[in-house]
Amino acid sequence: MHGYLCWCILLGYLYVSALSLGSGKYRGRGTGSEGWLRDFAPAVSYGSERSITKHFKRSVFSFPYNNSVSCEDLKGVGSFNTTCLLNSNLYLNSDLYIYGTGNLEILPHVSIGCHVEGCIIVFNMSGNVNVGQYATVHAGSIVFSAANLTLEQNSSINTTSLGGSPPPQTSGTPVGYDGAGGGHGGRGASCLKNNLTSFWGGDVYAWSSLSEPSSYGSKGGGTSLEKPFGGNGGGCVKLIVKEILYLNGSLTAEGGDGGPKGGGGSGGSIFIHAVKLKGYGTISAAGGRGWGGGGGGRISLDCYSIQEDVKVTVHGGLSMGCPWNAGAAGTYFNADLLSLRVGNDNVTTETETPLLDFPTTHLWSHVFVENNAKVLVPLLWTRVQVRGQIGLYRGGTIVFGLSDYPVSEFELVAEELLMSDSIIKVFGAFRVAVKMLLMWNSKIQIDGGGNTVVTASVLEVRNLVVLREYSVITSNANLGVYGQGLLKLTGHGDAIKGQRLSLSLFYNITVGPGSLLQAPLDDDASRSVVTKSLCESQTCPVDLITPPDDCHVNYTLSFSLQICRVEDLLVNGLIKGSIIHIHRARTVIIDTGGVMTASELGCSGGIGKGNYSDGAGSGAGHGGRGGSGVFNGWVSIGGNKYGDADLPCELGSGTEGPNQLYGVVVGGGMIVMGSIQWPLVRLDIYGSLRADGESFSRTTGNGNGSLIGGLGGGSGGTVLLFLQELRLSENSSLSVVGGKGGLLGGGGGGGGRVHFHWSKIDVGDEYTPVASINGSINSCGGAGDTGGLYGEEGTITGKKCPKGLYGTFCEECPIGTYKDVEGSDEHLCTPCSLDLLPNRANFIYVRGGVSEPSCPYKCISDKYRMPNCYTPLEELMYTFGGPWPFALLLSCILVLLALFLNALRIKVVGSVSFHRENSIEHHSRHHFPYLLSLSEVRGTRAEETQSHAHRMYFMGPNTFREPWHLPYSPPNAIIEIVYEDAFNRFIDEINSVSAYDWWEGSVHSILSVVAYPCAWSWKQWCRRKKIHRLQEYVKSEYDHSCLRSCRSRALYKGMKVGATPDLMVAYIDFFLGGDEKRLDMVSIIQKRFPMCIIFGGNGSYMSPYNLHSDTLLTNLLGQHVPATVWTRLVAGLNAQLRTVRHGSIRSALIPVIDWINSHANPQLEFHGVKIELGWFQATASGYYQLGILVAVGDYSFQDMHQPDLLDSIDDSTRRKVACPRKSHKQQTWAHTSQAFSLKRITRGINGGLINDATLRSLDFKRDFLFPLSLLLHNTRPVGRQDRLQLLITVMLLADLSVTLLMLLQFYWISLGAFLAVLLILPLSLLSPFPAGLNALFSKEPRRVSLARIYALWNATSLSNIAVAFLCGIFHYGFSSFQPPEKSSAWNTRRDDDKWWLLPTILLLFKSIQARFVNWHIANLEIEDISLFCPDPDAFWAHEPSS
């Protein structure tokens, strides 16, 4: 109600004043004018509503319209209600008020001015107002009100130095004659440097109208009575624009220039209200220049939009008397944003701009102090709170409190506190609550005045604290920095220091390279305040072992630097403090180059302080006793040990001299990380962690100038770590070393104490190492000098380790030891007993160590089976008691099984007994009973014997490379019964039929590599098929056109194909047709003898040489020799031939030749018959056939030497025919004439006789399987067939058993070795068993052939045994070169050194088995042992009667 009444009175007064001006255009200044001016400011002031739309709902001026002042009265053109153009200069000496509803334009270069102090010019237009180029409006107070206002280029609205009187009861104008500047928005400068109590000129005022300033500036002070004042203060400018203000000129309300004889006036007031402010003009309320510069004025812009190009300045005026101390900056307030900016435009000043009370309801958004402005918050308790940012830039300074009264408490609340090249000074306690604190080359200095009553300063930054480029936060009282985000000291020069310092609640604290966290400060007084209570007491501070959870800093706590409730701490710089306490942190990383130190920050005295007497200074003690000092025979005993090694919490002690001139030596401080309740999760040290004692390095002298002994070294401090895991990397260090003694006998300080209190030591399978130590941990005592003793070593301890672990770091007991008690002593790890360690086992690493006497072990290879480390084979054997009981049991089982199989064989097959017969015809018929000669077929008639003309043998070995073939040209014996041309065509056809297909040879080659017995069976099957094909061809397909006999051609009976039972020799028998001439038949029949009979077989194990005498040959020879004699002769000769091996034919034929000469020919000569051994039908490949030459009657082989029997052939033909190999030399034949004569004697069959003289000339080839002849060879029978078959059965079962055991062994060695042994060659290793059973249980006539196949499989399996030896040598040979493991120190036995045993046993069994099979085959083939009788008479005595 009172405010409403005032407004009514004011409006009425203005109305009366306006009426009084109606009689004239101008009115001089008088008392009435002064009263009008006093009330004008509130009259033209605009309301405080901030809404843009509300600004223009009501009229700014409420004065009545005065028709007496028109556009023409001002020498203008037009009307104020339409458009008025002012084109003439106006010089006024009193106030001017213009009102209109139209537009107003002040043309360029027009000047309107009233140079009277406090003169008022008001333009109140409803339309637009335009101020042209270079146009000026100059007065003490200027008001424009328009819809749009434009100030063109170089135009100006100027109230500089025309201000009226400032508000009453203000001290803007300085008192005295100091020439100080006037004050307004900022204090005026004073050049009286020594007068600290009044170090400024005029003071500030009008703080309450900061958002809408309307006060004039103050005058500057004078320097004398003659000049009591300096420059005038600035005027007032108020622009009320409904829409847009285009400012391309200038608005000035600057203070006047006081010159060297007076202070500068302070800046005035400028208030602008517009929706938009555009342009590139200038707005200035700067202080005036003078002896002392005037303070800046006040500017407030209430604009919704302000173009950045507009320059606003409120700096203080320059001081001529003290250039470094200009007037203080004024204030620039953005009323729309509620933002305060104090800037001094980089003008240096030491004069503050006081900021008084801040609003608490409508909070400001921002406060900026910049460009060397200096702001003072002088109240004892002030809360500076804004909604946004507080920024200090480019030399800006804020000072909280007064240096004489550092007991104030200040509070700063904002979203962000940003500092760049700026300073915040606080005298008292400082509390900051911001979200972000960023500092760049800036400082926050808190001066608590050393008064312990002052509350601790707290910087609470919720999100981010970053210090860069030598930024420092320091306090000489308690300081706490709290936050929830990141605290980062970036690099060199960045620091946070305090008397006591607490950093808490951050997620991460990073101390960059060259940065510093420190508490206390560097002076001894600060250190003493923190350490005094601990140095005088042996009681462990409870707050270090079980600290409170609130993490607040106060005087009752023991720490000097606390880092509390911080997730991660990364140290690349320096953390320094007397008592460093890190509480409720997760990880601490001291990186390379990082240092956390309490060195030389402990006690100067202390419980274990060193002594000093008569120049001998001893070291201080702590974890170890201090070293004694020695000087000139005087000995000073070192300081005592003190504290608990298992839970140390003491500061290191120092040494004090007898007086202050000697100085002091300080012990190491204390570093505590974690607590019993909240241990540190992990500590990684790549740099250093130190609490070393101080060394005394100064020289000490007495009064006469001579040197005396120095003080002893300080003792090391304490490092107490409550943690879970420690990592001490290479080149890192953790030390509590004692300091070195002083010169001339000073003793070294004792080492400190280090204790690791492991909070979580997992045991068993969950164990993880608590420490990784690659750096150094040092607790040595300090060195003494010149006789002074070393300090004793300190202690390094750890929490007692659980079972299985030992040492300071609770490591696992060494492999092979166990620990079943708690403790950390290394001797508690007891060696394990070797008696319980198996042969192939080593003690193994067990996670968490071994806590029982029965130490775990592991086989030297995973292939061995626990618990006895046996192979599967050994496990099988030891299941039955061991190798020998197992072998005995297996042998018994095999014998019983062999007896069962033998009984079953006798029941199925029948017993074999020897039937001594004089003939081996039965045997010869059952050698290969399924391959019969054509002449053996039932129905052979006697007339065929009578009509038989000649037997023509095929040449060649009948292999896939060299099949059977017949020579061209008919023999002499049949040349008279065949047509030679047709015969040669028949030879071509029969040779093509006898050739094999290519794929048959390919199959044989593959089988020869894969399974040789199968290859032999395949070859025999192909041979059998081939002979059947030849028989069918000659019998049915060939038309016998080569025969001369018509009867033979018609009946297809002139030729027949036959072969030996082993399919090695084939032949064609030629018969007479019966229609030949009588003389021809007699001549042909007489040419049968001498007869060549070629042996079957090839001298191999599967096909031994044998003389096959079919019915045809028996009947032919029966005409000269009784059949019984001939049959006995054939049986005896075959018994001798079966032991002849082609690979050793030269030596093997000697017994045969001797037998013929001793047994055969003497008996045959009685009947007029004689036989000789010979070779026949040599081929180009070197193959030849053995046989006998049978002569009948008076014909003697000696007649072959007669010249008339020899054929005349050249040497080349002789060499080709006589030599079985083309490369054989001619001189090897001693009696070549015998060979040449046989061609005619035998009617064209090439060959030669074999006797003692020609035997050595025989050539032979050895195939790649020749070594197998050592196992596979035909022998003489031994009898006892049933017993021999029982032994074969036993060996067969033993072979299978050992084979399976060997396969089991090699499967254990490796799968590759197992497959190699089994499949190289495939089927060979396991086939002997079924082949042997098949041979034993077979019946005649296939028993011999199956037995030979069984023997061949048995020999082929030797390749698998050879592969087994190679695999074993390869595997165990390479393993022997591998270095033994460290863990095998208890057992140096080889992995396995008996792998060869089973392959060797199997090789022995197969060799014995081969011998038994050879005897078994001999018993089957030779049932009459009398055939080997050496006495000819006894041999023929067994001849059965006819």
Side-chain angles (χ1 to χ4, degrees):
M1 187 66 185
H2 176 71
Y4 179 78
L5 182 61
C6 292
W7 273 103
C8 292
I9 296 172
L10 177 62
L11 291 175
Y13 180 79
L14 291 175
Y15 177 76
V16 174
S17 300
L19 290 177
S20 62
L21 294 174
S23 59
K25 294 187 291 184
Y26 308 106
R27 185 173 181 177
R29 289 185 58 87
T31 306
S33 176
E34 293 176 358
W36 183 88
L37 180 60
R38 286 195 299 268
D39 295 332
F40 177 78
V44 297
S45 64
Y46 186 67
S48 62
E49 292 86 357
R50 299 185 64 248
S51 174
I52 299 302
T53 58
K54 291 182 180 180
H55 286 326
F56 309 104
K57 286 185 178 180
R58 59 187 178 89
S59 176
V60 177
F61 300 101
S62 57
F63 301 116
Y65 181 74
N66 190 346
N67 294 325
S68 61
V69 179
S70 63
C71 181
E72 293 80 1
D73 295 337
L74 299 180
K75 300 180 182 181
V77 178
S79 171
F80 289 131
N81 292 326
T82 56
T83 298
C84 177
L85 301 178
L86 297 180
N87 53 12
S88 300
N89 295 330
L90 295 177
Y91 299 100
L92 308 176
N93 55 12
S94 64
D95 301 337
L96 173 65
Y97 173 75
I98 298 174
Y99 173 82
T101 59
N103 302 321
L104 174 64
E105 183 175 357
I106 302 175
L107 297 181
H109 299 281
V110 173
S111 175
I112 301 175
C114 179
H115 297 281
V116 180
E117 294 180 8
C119 181
I120 301 173
I121 297 178
V122 177
F123 295 93
N124 187 3
M125 303 296 294
S126 298
N128 300 327
V129 176
N130 184 73
V131 181
Q133 295 183 5
Y134 297 98
T136 62
V137 179
H138 193 187
S141 181
I142 301 174
V143 178
F144 275 87
S145 177
N148 293 285
L149 175 60
T150 301
L151 275 74
E152 295 185 0
Q153 186 177 4
N154 294 320
S155 63
S156 67
I157 297 176
N158 188 1
T159 63
T160 299
S161 190
L162 290 177
S165 299
Q169 298 180 352
T170 59
S171 56
T173 301
V175 178
Y177 302 102
D178 300 329
H184 181 197
R187 285 173 171 171
S190 174
C191 294
L192 296 178
K193 296 178 56 179
N194 296 328
N195 188 1
L196 298 179
T197 59
S198 58
F199 193 51
W200 66 84
D203 210 343
V204 297
Y205 54 91
W207 174 262
S208 60
S209 60
L210 184 69
S211 62
E212 193 174 341
S214 59
S215 300
Y216 293 122
S218 299
K219 293 181 179 182
T223 58
S224 64
L225 290 173
E226 291 77 13
K227 188 175 176 59
F229 299 104
N232 290 334
C236 295
V237 177
K238 181 171 292 188
L239 305 180
I240 307 299
V241 181
K242 292 181 179 181
E243 295 296 336
I244 301 175
L245 170 60
Y246 294 94
L247 178 59
N248 294 319
S250 62
L251 298 177
T252 57
E254 298 177 351
D257 189 352
K261 296 293 184 177
S266 62
S269 299
I270 298 177
F271 174 70
I272 298 176
H273 171 80
V275 175
K276 294 182 180 181
L277 173 60
K278 295 183 177 181
Y280 46 86
T282 301
I283 303 174
S284 175
R289 188 179 63 168
W291 181 256
R298 298 190 187 277
I299 297 176
S300 176
L301 303 182
D302 187 7
C303 303
Y304 182 76
S305 172
I306 300 176
Q307 187 170 324
E308 294 293 333
D309 294 336
V310 176
K311 182 180 180 181
V312 180
T313 177
V314 287
H315 65 80
L318 297 176
S319 299
M320 299 179 183
C322 45
W324 65 88
N325 184 22
T331 61
Y332 162 36
F333 189 78
N334 189 321
D336 185 74
L337 299 178
L338 297 181
S339 172
L340 175 64
R341 186 178 300 271
V342 180
N344 212 33
D345 292 338
N346 295 319
V347 178
T348 305
T349 183
E350 295 182 3
T351 306
E352 301 94 348
T353 300
L355 303 183
L356 304 180
D357 55 331
F358 282 72
T360 57
T361 55
H362 299 287
L363 299 178
W364 291 347
S365 59
H366 308 293
V367 173
F368 301 104
V369 180
E370 57 190 7
N371 300 329
N372 288 327
K374 190 173 184 180
V375 168
L376 172 65
V377 181
L379 303 182
L380 294 181
W381 187 93
T382 300
R383 179 186 182 97
V384 178
Q385 183 174 4
V386 299
R387 291 182 290 107
Q389 180 185 124
I390 295 180
L392 287 83
Y393 308 118
R394 298 178 293 279
T397 301
I398 297 180
V399 180
F400 290 88
L402 304 176
S403 60
D404 293 339
Y405 305 98
V407 293
S408 303
E409 295 184 14
F410 300 96
E411 188 171 0
L412 189 151
V413 181
E415 289 291 311
E416 299 174 354
L417 176 56
L418 308 180
M419 302 178 64
S420 174
D421 301 303
S422 55
I423 298 174
I424 294 179
K425 292 183 180 180
V426 180
F427 296 97
F430 191 43
R431 294 181 178 273
V432 176
V434 296
K435 287 186 178 180
M436 184 182 299
L437 171 58
L438 304 179
M439 298 177 63
W440 179 286
N441 190 26
S442 300
K443 293 178 175 60
I444 297 178
Q445 301 170 348
I446 304 173
D447 184 2
N451 192 339
T452 58
V453 179
V454 176
T455 307
S457 297
V458 176
L459 307 182
E460 183 177 350
V461 185
R462 293 186 293 276
N463 291 342
L464 180 64
V465 180
V466 178
L467 280 69
R468 296 179 65 92
E469 296 296 327
Y470 299 92
S471 296
V472 178
I473 301 175
T474 180
S475 172
N476 59 3
N478 295 345
L479 174 62
V481 182
Y482 303 154
Q484 299 175 3
L486 171 67
L487 169 59
K488 184 174 183 180
L489 282 71
T490 306
H492 291 279
D494 300 327
I496 301 177
K497 299 187 288 185
Q499 175 68 25
R500 277 189 175 90
L501 178 61
S502 176
L503 308 176
S504 61
L505 303 177
F506 287 98
Y507 179 80
N508 178 278
I509 295 179
T510 299
V511 183
S515 56
L516 171 66
L517 290 178
Q518 179 182 347
L521 302 178
D522 293 325
D523 57 293
D524 290 338
S526 297
R527 177 183 56 79
S528 299
V529 170
V530 175
T531 62
K532 182 177 180 181
S533 60
L534 294 181
C535 293
E536 298 173 354
S537 173
Q538 297 190 37
T539 304
C540 187
V542 177
D543 59 288
L544 293 180
I545 307 303
T546 57
D549 293 337
D550 55 4
C551 297
H552 292 319
V553 56
N554 58 70
Y555 291 102
T556 63
L557 300 179
S558 302
F559 66 84
S560 67
L561 193 157
Q562 182 189 56
I563 298 176
C564 178
R565 300 184 74 170
V566 173
E567 288 289 320
D568 302 312
L569 173 60
L570 175 60
V571 182
N572 285 300
L574 175 63
I575 296 180
K576 180 180 179 181
S578 295
I579 305 168
I580 300 175
H581 186 202
I582 300 177
H583 171 48
R584 294 191 69 172
R586 189 172 66 93
T587 60
V588 176
I589 300 175
I590 303 176
D591 212 340
T592 303
V595 177
M596 183 179 294
T597 179
S599 299
E600 305 176 8
L601 291 173
C603 300
S604 57
I607 303 170
K609 67 178 180 179
N611 302 308
Y612 187 84
S613 62
D614 299 320
S618 64
H622 182 198
R625 191 178 184 89
S628 299
V630 178
F631 180 73
N632 290 339
W634 294 92
V635 177
S636 177
I637 303 302
N640 297 324
K641 295 193 296 184
Y642 60 95
D644 183 6
D646 292 332
L647 195 62
C649 53
E650 310 88 13
L651 295 172
S653 298
T655 303
E656 296 178 345
N659 54 57
Q660 294 182 355
L661 296 177
Y662 283 75
V664 294
V665 175
V666 183
M670 180 163 48
I671 300 176
V672 180
M673 293 189 186
S675 62
I676 295 177
Q677 185 179 3
W678 301 100
L680 196 66
V681 175
R682 193 178 80 246
L683 171 61
D684 293 344
I685 302 177
Y686 301 93
S688 62
L689 180 67
R690 301 198 300 258
D692 300 334
E694 184 180 5
S695 300
F696 188 78
S697 58
R698 295 188 295 114
T699 57
T700 306
N702 53 19
N704 57 13
S706 61
L707 297 177
I708 60 176
L711 301 179
S715 62
T718 296
V719 175
L720 177 59
L721 304 176
F722 298 89
L723 73 167
Q724 294 183 14
E725 183 180 353
L726 170 66
R727 182 181 303 165
L728 193 63
S729 65
E730 190 175 357
N731 298 324
S732 61
S733 64
L734 191 159
S735 65
V736 287
V737 177
K740 297 180 181 179
L743 299 176
L744 302 179
R753 295 188 186 276
V754 179
H755 179 72
F756 302 95
H757 195 90
W758 310 111
S759 62
K760 183 180 179 182
I761 305 176
D762 296 323
V763 296
D765 293 338
E766 297 180 355
Y767 171 79
T768 54
V770 295
S772 173
I773 307 300
N774 295 313
S776 62
I777 301 178
N778 194 354
S779 63
C780 296
D785 184 80
T786 318
L789 301 182
Y790 277 70
E792 292 182 359
E793 186 174 0
T795 60
I796 300 174
T797 59
K799 184 180 178 181
K800 288 185 178 181
C801 300
K803 297 178 181 180
L805 306 176
Y806 79 102
T808 303
F809 306 105
C810 290
E811 301 171 285
E812 297 150 325
C813 284
I815 299 176
T817 62
Y818 70 95
K819 176 173 166 285
D820 55 358
V821 295
E822 290 188 354
S824 301
D825 194 348
E826 184 179 2
H827 300 292
L828 295 177
C829 294
T830 307
C832 302
S833 175
L834 294 177
D835 297 335
L836 303 177
L837 188 65
N839 185 34
R840 296 191 188 96
N842 289 319
F843 292 119
I844 60 173
Y845 162 79
V846 176
R847 191 171 185 177
V850 181
S851 58
E852 300 295 336
S854 56
C855 297
Y857 60 86
K858 185 180 180 181
C859 301
I860 58 178
S861 174
D862 292 337
K863 296 181 293 187
Y864 297 106
R865 297 192 178 184
M866 296 289 288
N868 297 315
C869 296
Y870 290 150
T871 65
L873 179 60
E874 290 174 338
E875 191 171 2
L876 176 63
M877 291 190 296
Y878 281 99
T879 303
F880 297 97
W884 293 110
F886 176 76
L888 181 61
L889 178 62
L890 182 61
S891 300
C892 294
I893 294 175
L894 293 180
V895 170
L896 292 176
L897 187 59
L899 292 174
F900 171 75
L901 291 176
N902 191 59
L904 183 63
R905 179 188 58 78
I906 293 175
K907 184 176 181 180
V908 174
V909 179
S911 178
V912 179
S913 61
F914 285 99
H915 304 283
R916 301 187 179 277
E917 300 176 357
N918 294 328
S919 175
I920 63 169
E921 183 68 20
H922 176 74
H923 162 69
S924 62
R925 290 180 180 178
H926 294 81
H927 190 160
F928 292 102
Y930 47 88
L931 299 172
L932 300 178
S933 172
L934 182 63
S935 59
E936 291 180 283
V937 180
R938 181 175 301 187
T940 302
R941 296 182 297 274
E943 58 270 17
E944 289 184 350
T945 304
Q946 298 298 327
S947 63
H948 183 268
H950 179 69
R951 174 168 287 182
M952 185 177 184
Y953 290 95
F954 282 85
M955 300 175 65
N958 192 19
T959 62
F960 298 102
R961 290 178 178 272
E962 188 176 1
W964 281 326
H965 60 280
L966 290 174
Y968 291 94
S969 300
N972 295 333
I974 62 172
I975 196 170
E976 297 178 359
I977 63 174
V978 297
Y979 297 110
E980 186 171 356
D981 293 339
F983 179 80
N984 290 335
R985 289 193 297 273
F986 167 70
I987 294 300
D988 289 332
E989 294 174 3
I990 199 69
N991 285 346
S992 64
V993 173
S994 63
Y996 292 100
D997 293 330
W998 67 268
W999 60 269
E1000 294 174 318
S1002 300
V1003 173
H1004 178 265
S1005 300
I1006 295 173
L1007 292 177
S1008 298
V1009 177
V1010 177
Y1012 185 76
C1014 296
W1016 183 84
S1017 299
W1018 169 258
K1019 182 168 64 175
Q1020 291 300 104
W1021 180 83
C1022 291
R1023 285 173 173 175
R1024 184 166 59 251
K1025 187 179 68 169
K1026 185 60 65 178
I1027 192 64
H1028 290 164
R1029 178 73 182 91
L1030 290 173
Q1031 291 175 345
E1032 183 67 22
Y1033 175 77
V1034 173
K1035 180 179 180 181
S1036 303
E1037 298 180 18
Y1038 181 59
D1039 57 359
H1040 293 64
S1041 59
C1042 66
L1043 298 178
R1044 293 180 183 270
S1045 171
C1046 297
R1047 186 172 181 271
S1048 296
R1049 290 198 303 272
L1051 298 178
Y1052 285 16
K1053 291 186 178 181
M1055 293 183 295
K1056 290 184 180 180
V1057 176
T1060 58
D1062 57 6
L1063 304 179
M1064 293 300 298
V1065 176
Y1067 49 84
I1068 298 179
D1069 287 321
F1070 289 89
F1071 298 92
L1072 298 175
D1075 54 350
E1076 292 88 354
K1077 296 179 180 180
R1078 183 67 178 174
L1079 295 177
D1080 295 337
M1081 293 178 61
V1082 173
S1083 173
I1084 292 171
I1085 292 175
Q1086 288 178 352
K1087 293 179 181 179
R1088 290 174 179 172
F1089 295 97
M1091 179 182 291
C1092 174
I1093 303 177
I1094 296 178
F1095 297 153
N1098 58 358
S1100 64
Y1101 176 75
M1102 301 300 293
S1103 300
Y1105 290 118
N1106 67 89
L1107 176 59
H1108 177 65
S1109 179
D1110 54 11
T1111 305
L1112 180 61
L1113 290 179
T1114 304
N1115 292 338
L1116 287 175
L1117 293 174
Q1119 299 175 3
H1120 306 279
V1121 179
T1124 56
V1125 174
W1126 177 252
T1127 303
R1128 182 67 175 176
L1129 173 68
V1130 171
L1133 183 58
N1134 284 338
Q1136 299 296 324
L1137 288 176
R1138 72 182 312 277
T1139 60
V1140 176
R1141 293 199 301 268
H1142 183 73
S1144 56
I1145 193 169
R1146 295 176 183 175
S1147 59
L1149 286 179
I1150 294 177
V1152 178
I1153 296 174
D1154 294 340
W1155 188 88
I1156 291 175
N1157 294 330
S1158 62
H1159 288 66
N1161 281 333
Q1163 181 67 18
L1164 293 177
E1165 289 177 356
F1166 178 77
H1167 300 285
V1169 177
K1170 187 176 182 180
I1171 62 175
E1172 288 290 343
L1173 187 65
W1175 62 269
F1176 308 95
Q1177 300 194 146
T1179 64
S1181 64
Y1183 178 79
Y1184 57 90
Q1185 297 168 315
L1186 297 182
I1188 59 175
L1189 188 64
V1190 182
V1192 178
D1194 296 336
Y1195 189 86
S1196 174
F1197 290 104
Q1198 306 299 330
D1199 297 337
M1200 293 185 302
H1201 300 285
Q1202 300 299 325
D1204 58 336
L1205 297 176
L1206 296 176
D1207 292 334
S1208 177
I1209 53 179
D1210 56 14
D1211 291 341
S1212 61
T1213 305
R1214 187 184 303 120
R1215 187 180 300 111
K1216 181 180 298 185
V1217 176
C1219 182
R1221 287 192 347 190
K1222 292 186 289 185
S1223 62
H1224 200 282
K1225 297 180 180 179
Q1226 178 180 353
Q1227 56 266 29
T1228 60
W1229 290 89
H1231 301 278
T1232 56
S1233 59
Q1234 297 181 7
F1236 299 149
S1237 63
L1238 283 179
K1239 184 174 182 181
R1240 184 168 184 176
I1241 294 172
T1242 59
R1243 294 164 178 81
I1245 298 179
N1246 297 325
L1249 297 180
I1250 300 175
N1251 51 35
D1252 294 337
T1254 62
L1255 185 61
R1256 294 183 180 180
S1257 63
L1258 286 178
D1259 198 5
F1260 60 91
K1261 291 183 179 179
R1262 291 181 178 177
D1263 56 12
F1264 67 96
L1265 296 178
F1266 173 75
L1268 292 180
S1269 63
L1270 301 176
L1271 291 178
L1272 303 179
H1273 58 273
N1274 295 300
T1275 63
R1276 294 187 178 187
V1278 295
R1280 303 178 180 84
Q1281 183 70 341
D1282 290 334
R1283 190 179 304 171
L1284 183 61
Q1285 291 186 88
L1286 175 61
L1287 292 176
I1288 292 175
T1289 305
V1290 173
M1291 295 305 299
L1292 190 62
L1293 293 173
D1295 177 277
L1296 178 63
S1297 301
V1298 177
T1299 298
L1300 295 178
L1301 293 176
M1302 186 185 72
L1303 288 176
L1304 178 63
Q1305 181 186 32
F1306 278 89
Y1307 180 78
W1308 165 80
I1309 291 175
S1310 71
L1311 180 61
F1314 168 79
L1315 295 177
V1317 173
L1318 182 63
L1319 300 179
I1320 304 176
L1321 298 172
L1323 308 177
S1324 298
L1325 191 61
L1326 298 178
S1327 295
F1329 181 75
L1333 289 181
N1334 189 27
L1336 290 176
F1337 281 83
S1338 62
K1339 298 181 180 180
E1340 292 292 351
R1342 302 180 65 243
R1343 296 190 68 184
V1344 173
S1345 61
L1346 293 179
R1348 289 187 184 276
I1349 294 176
Y1350 160 47
L1352 198 58
W1353 277 115
N1354 182 63
T1356 308
S1357 64
L1358 294 179
S1359 62
N1360 300 77
I1361 299 177
V1363 172
F1365 276 105
L1366 292 176
C1367 291
I1369 293 172
F1370 180 81
H1371 179 77
Y1372 291 104
F1374 276 95
S1375 63
S1376 63
F1377 291 105
Q1378 297 178 356
E1381 298 180 358
K1382 295 181 180 180
S1383 60
S1384 62
W1386 307 275
N1387 192 342
T1388 57
R1389 292 175 286 274
R1390 283 180 56 83
D1391 193 12
D1392 191 354
D1393 53 1
K1394 294 186 174 68
W1395 62 268
W1396 51 269
L1397 193 58
L1398 284 178
T1400 303
I1401 294 175
L1402 186 60
L1403 178 62
L1404 181 61
F1405 280 2
K1406 289 189 177 295
S1407 300
I1408 297 173
Q1409 197 176 175
R1411 175 64 66 177
F1412 286 171
V1413 174
N1414 292 338
W1415 289 342
H1416 172 62
I1417 294 173
N1419 288 340
L1420 292 177
E1421 291 183 343
I1422 308 298
E1423 298 179 352
D1424 187 2
I1425 301 180
S1426 64
L1427 295 177
F1428 294 95
C1429 183
D1431 185 9
D1433 296 334
F1435 171 80
W1436 291 108
H1438 286 80
E1439 179 183 354
S1441 60
S1442 59

